[in-house]
Amino acid sequence: MPRILIIFGTWTIKVPVFFLCFLGLLTGCNNGNNSQEVLVEVAEVIESTASESVQLPTPTPLPVPPPVTPPTSEVSMSKIVSAQGSPDAQLLSFDDFDNAQLACVDIESVIAATIYLENTTNSLEESELRVRVCSVVSLYNVVNKADLTPELLIESGVEGFVDDTGKPDLWAFDEVMLDAPEKNFLVPGLQKLVNAFHYNRDNVWPKQINISFDDGGALDSLYEHLWRFEKYNATITYFVSHLALIDEQRVLEIEAQGHEIGHHGALHRHAAIYSKEHGVEKWLEEDILGQLEYMKALGLNVTTFAYPFGARTKQTDEALLKHFTHVRRFAAWSGLEYRNQRSDLAIMTGFSIDSHRINLEQIFKAMDTLRGGETLYLGTHAIGNYLSPWHITTENLEAVIAYAASKDIQFCKMAECQNFKIASE
Ligand SMILES: [Zn+2]
């Protein structure tokens, strides 16, 4: 069956000849003209149609868009200011910060700036926000975690870093450092860590008290009054000196009853004076290491030390921390306010509750103001009435223990006061 190509503009259709005859488009279909003639005529039609199709209409020119003028610095800055606390902050680009002349923001740190803006609850004025954004970027760009400072975090808008006296809260900072990432510090993530610290301190971590008794000479009175501690389910720390001269069986029994035995110097040397005159090594050798070895040989678990007279130097602190996990200083001077201390310190101060120093009102106040994770460290010597002032009366001891128990304050052994996080889990 012969077919003919018909072109309509850009459409091409193959049509059987009989169909064209049927439509009457071809003459001679019925008068015997041969199909060759038909094809010639159609070819002419096709040729003339094809030559017409190349004459395309002249396109209408597109309208020319007006030239793009970048927003002014004021407009971009106002966009940044209004992005505080808004999801719109996600839409900010490097160009916005660039236009706003915030040169501290580069392409890599745009993310830190926008995440800060989206999450902040502050609404700073332009000039303050400029400084804040640059601090946020500086924080993000800190390469070494050890270079973080409380000041940089405060300047970056991380809240909860200032203590009651307006100074940086170093404990909050230390807690953040424990869990912060190694780099790429973002304000919202750090804020969560600070919030967790405050939550734990206010709601989770226990309030603690450690009472310690010093000197070999206190052994017998302490031994006789162990029942008082048992009555309140309280544990204490006994710092032993002159072990060679006292009843070591009683020392062992005190530990067996659940209390802690610490070291207080074999000869009760004044560490600051003796080490200055003879050197730290000789002091360590004579007053510390021999008795420590002997205590361990007896089976005592000794990890804490209390300075005789509270006398110390930086060098003696360092030397002791190679052999003990905790070292207690002693504050026995008058006029000093009792302070509660965080429970994770390796070196802490015990406050004297000896007969000539004790102030029950101050101690009760200290217990009332204890916060979670803090320990009130109190230190004394013998229990009972003695000529020497270095003792606590049974009445005062009873009052201190009973008050702590009534306030649900936990008694901790010095080596275990640091376990407050584990205890609260
Ligand atoms: Zn002593």
Side-chain angles (χ1 to χ4, degrees):
M1 170 67 69
R3 290 170 184 263
I4 293 176
L5 285 173
I6 298 181
I7 298 174
F8 299 98
T10 57
W11 295 356
T12 304
I13 304 174
K14 285 182 181 176
V15 183
V17 170
F18 77 82
F19 182 67
L20 294 173
C21 291
F22 172 74
L23 293 175
L25 291 176
L26 297 180
T27 56
C29 288
N30 298 317
N31 58 10
N33 285 356
N34 66 36
S35 57
Q36 287 294 328
E37 289 172 7
V38 175
L39 286 175
V40 169
E41 287 177 27
V42 172
E44 284 170 358
V45 172
I46 292 168
E47 198 172 292
S48 67
T49 311
S51 65
E52 281 171 18
S53 69
V54 295
Q55 293 175 3
L56 296 171
T58 312
T60 314
L62 292 169
V64 179
V68 178
T69 36
T72 61
S73 169
E74 287 74 22
V75 169
S76 290
M77 194 60 215
S78 137
K79 201 171 155 188
I80 292 168
V81 169
S82 60
Q84 292 178 92
S86 160
D88 290 350
Q90 290 176 7
L91 306 174
L92 294 172
S93 67
F94 170 72
D95 289 341
D96 294 313
F97 293 95
D98 195 36
N99 288 336
Q101 296 177 344
L102 272 162
C104 60
V105 181
D106 58 18
I107 288 175
E108 281 75 31
S109 57
V110 169
I111 182 91
T114 55
I115 287 176
Y116 164 77
L117 289 166
E118 184 184 359
N119 291 283
T120 185
T121 53
N122 295 148
S123 187
L124 302 181
E125 299 294 327
E126 180 188 325
S127 58
E128 288 175 309
L129 187 58
R130 282 182 176 279
V131 176
R132 173 62 55 80
V133 167
C134 289
S135 296
V136 167
V137 168
S138 300
L139 176 67
Y140 183 72
N141 289 336
V142 168
V143 177
N144 191 341
K145 186 173 173 179
D147 293 336
L148 285 182
T149 61
E151 290 75 17
L152 181 55
L153 293 166
I154 292 168
E155 287 161 10
S156 303
V158 184
E159 294 170 349
F161 267 127
V162 180
D163 68 16
D164 300 341
T165 63
K167 291 179 184 162
D169 188 331
L170 297 179
W171 191 6
F173 179 70
D174 289 348
E175 288 294 321
V176 168
M177 288 293 277
L178 285 178
D179 293 323
E182 291 302 315
K183 59 179 182 175
N184 295 346
F185 304 102
L186 297 168
V187 172
L190 297 173
Q191 186 64 62
K192 271 188 191 169
L193 296 178
V194 185
N195 294 349
F197 161 70
H198 284 289
Y199 180 82
N200 287 332
R201 188 164 67 174
D202 294 344
N203 303 288
V204 180
W205 293 338
K207 302 169 181 181
Q208 302 182 132
I209 183 169
N210 170 259
I211 306 176
S212 51
F213 300 85
D214 296 0
D215 295 352
L219 173 63
D220 291 343
S221 70
L222 180 61
Y223 185 79
E224 285 164 19
H225 287 276
L226 287 178
W227 61 272
R228 290 187 190 278
F229 307 118
E230 199 178 343
K231 188 169 76 168
Y232 294 98
N233 200 22
T235 51
I236 54 92
T237 303
Y238 176 39
F239 286 109
V240 176
S241 67
H242 303 98
L243 181 59
L245 305 176
I246 61 175
D247 183 348
E248 59 192 36
Q249 284 309 315
R250 284 194 163 188
V251 176
L252 283 165
E253 200 172 322
I254 291 172
E255 187 185 76
Q257 289 198 24
H259 303 293
E260 175 184 25
I261 303 300
H263 195 317
H264 192 50
L267 301 167
H268 205 271
R269 296 257 195 241
H270 189 291
I273 295 174
Y274 197 81
S275 66
K276 193 176 176 187
E277 289 177 354
H278 303 279
V280 172
E281 282 306 313
K282 189 170 169 61
W283 161 75
L284 199 64
E285 196 61 42
E286 284 189 9
D287 207 32
I288 312 300
L289 298 183
Q291 180 174 305
L292 178 61
E293 204 173 307
Y294 185 65
M295 293 172 95
K296 286 182 176 174
L298 282 177
L300 294 165
N301 180 24
V302 182
T303 61
T304 58
F305 180 85
Y307 276 113
F309 314 105
R312 53 162 290 280
T313 67
K314 189 167 174 283
Q315 289 72 31
T316 58
D317 280 352
E318 285 169 3
L320 288 170
L321 286 175
K322 290 175 185 161
H323 302 279
F324 301 95
T325 59
H326 295 82
V327 174
R328 197 210 70 196
R329 301 172 180 178
F330 196 57
W333 53 91
S334 59
L336 186 79
E337 285 227 1
Y338 288 98
R339 274 188 308 120
N340 304 320
Q341 294 158 87
R342 47 196 279 197
S343 308
D344 60 346
L345 300 176
I347 298 181
M348 72 290 287
T349 301
F351 291 92
S352 172
I353 48 171
D354 293 297
S355 63
H356 59 320
R357 307 283 189 201
I358 192 166
N359 180 327
L360 284 178
E361 198 181 321
Q362 266 185 321
I363 293 168
F364 294 161
K365 188 181 163 196
M367 289 196 218
D368 290 341
T369 56
L370 261 179
R371 291 185 294 187
E374 291 180 339
T375 301
L376 174 62
Y377 294 95
L378 301 175
T380 184
H381 298 77
I383 301 168
N385 285 303
Y386 300 89
L387 282 178
S388 157
W390 299 102
H391 67 268
I392 185 169
T393 64
T394 53
E395 294 77 16
N396 281 342
L397 179 61
E398 187 80 21
V400 170
I401 301 174
Y403 195 82
S406 75
K407 296 286 176 179
D408 205 22
I409 295 170
Q410 313 282 311
F411 293 88
C412 60
K413 297 186 265 191
M414 191 168 285
E416 295 179 358
C417 297
Q418 64 176 350
N419 296 342
F420 62 100
K421 291 181 182 173
I422 301 166
S424 62
E425 279 175 358

